[in-house]
Amino acid sequence: MLDERVETVWHNGGMFDTVVLPHAMDIHIPIERVHDTMVRAYTHSLPGALGDLCDILKVDTDKSKDRAGRQLIMLFCKPRPKNSAIRRATRETHPVEWGRFVDYAALDIHSMREVYKKLPIWNYRDMELALWHLDQQINRRGFAVDMELVHAAIDAVAKAQKQLAKRTVQMTDGTVQAATQRDALLTHLLVEYGVNLPDMQKATLERRIADPDLPEAMRELLGPVLWCGPHWALGWPIVPAAKPTTANA
């Protein structure tokens, strides 16, 4: 892998494995050394999923092992549920399943090798391949983000939330503490204005706000919920990130 003269073959390696490796294992593989069978399939209007390619190219696979492999991926590659005593499944916490996971990875390699041999090559070369290399270089470089502006926007939203919450308390005589209190707001609208909204979805709010017979006070109450989107309506907090001055994304 570290020999610069050797081309490496992956399935989705260009957009996953070789992107993760520098961060996980300090292994850097130039995109020009990456032969990606998924991208090669795409250049010929074929599906990218390895299982689908095996079906099309008549590569023998064990479907039951493939299904079990998906379950193992979900086990080891995603955080465990919040109510689980173990936050991450590892080879230490699940040694038996880990052994099966390793076997599944080996089976995947066999399938990829056969797909590599059978895929057409005529569109995965020359200018088309150079364009993909350029595309991946652009993606890996990322783009500059004005983090000062980002955090200023987060602060501005937080201030606006406080102001609107204060106004909501005034307009409802304290029965609703903020427009994010969905159930309390729905109850207040029903009691105060006789309006029974089925939900706080965007289409529902737009329809009622556009109603010329809607009381102005009710329109003012509904406005912030609509303007600020689902995270406001459901009461989801905006979580600020760390505060570097610049970053790549």
Side-chain angles (χ1 to χ4, degrees):
M1 186 181 292
L2 299 179
D3 188 339
E4 294 183 359
R5 299 168 299 176
V6 175
E7 181 183 60
T8 59
V9 180
W10 314 75
H11 193 80
N12 195 28
M15 292 173 281
F16 179 65
D17 303 75
T18 59
V19 177
V20 173
L21 279 174
H23 303 280
M25 303 179 66
D26 198 27
I27 296 176
H28 300 260
I29 302 176
I31 192 64
E32 291 79 10
R33 289 183 54 212
V34 175
H35 187 112
D36 195 318
T37 50
M38 186 178 81
V39 176
R40 181 172 158 189
Y42 283 152
T43 62
H44 297 91
S45 299
L46 292 168
L50 188 59
D52 293 340
L53 287 173
C54 287
D55 290 340
I56 293 171
L57 299 173
K58 309 301 182 185
V59 174
D60 290 334
T61 58
D62 189 330
K63 296 298 183 181
S64 63
K65 288 184 179 179
D66 192 45
R67 286 191 294 271
R70 289 194 182 95
Q71 295 173 355
L72 291 167
I73 289 173
M74 297 297 287
L75 173 63
F76 288 109
C77 299
K78 291 180 63 177
R80 304 293 294 152
K82 290 183 179 180
N83 59 356
S84 174
I86 300 172
R87 190 65 184 134
R88 278 283 189 179
T90 67
R91 59 185 176 185
E92 286 80 18
T93 63
H94 294 72
V96 175
E97 291 84 352
W98 181 262
R100 295 172 186 158
F101 194 33
V102 172
D103 292 339
Y104 167 73
L107 179 67
D108 235 21
I109 295 296
H110 170 76
S111 299
M112 184 186 67
R113 285 174 177 166
E114 294 303 311
V115 166
Y116 172 81
K117 294 175 185 177
K118 294 190 175 187
L119 276 174
I121 193 69
W122 52 79
N123 288 338
Y124 188 71
R125 59 186 178 183
D126 303 331
M127 183 177 177
E128 284 297 325
L129 186 56
L131 283 174
W132 180 67
H133 288 161
L134 177 61
D135 176 70
Q136 293 309 297
Q137 290 169 1
I138 292 171
N139 286 343
R140 294 181 182 198
R141 183 178 66 231
F143 56 90
V145 176
D146 186 341
M147 297 304 294
E148 184 177 351
L149 177 61
V150 168
H151 290 288
I154 291 173
D155 292 341
V157 169
K159 291 177 181 177
Q161 285 179 327
K162 292 179 181 178
Q163 294 169 355
L164 290 170
K166 184 177 180 180
R167 179 60 178 149
T168 299
V169 172
Q170 294 173 345
M171 296 182 65
T172 62
D173 294 326
T175 60
V176 182
Q177 297 298 309
T180 56
Q181 294 182 331
R182 176 184 178 276
D183 293 341
L185 183 56
L186 288 173
T187 299
H188 176 79
L189 296 176
L190 179 60
V191 172
E192 188 69 21
Y193 302 103
V195 175
N196 185 15
L197 293 181
D199 52 56
M200 285 290 191
Q201 297 298 316
K202 180 181 178 182
T204 302
L205 297 176
E206 286 179 337
R207 183 173 63 254
R208 295 316 305 249
I209 289 175
D211 185 351
D213 298 325
L214 191 72
E216 191 60 36
M218 181 174 170
R219 183 176 286 107
E220 185 177 352
L221 273 174
L222 294 179
V225 183
L226 176 62
W227 301 330
C228 297
H231 74 269
W232 182 286
L234 296 177
W236 295 348
I238 296 175
V239 180
K243 293 194 174 185
T245 54
T246 60
N248 282 343

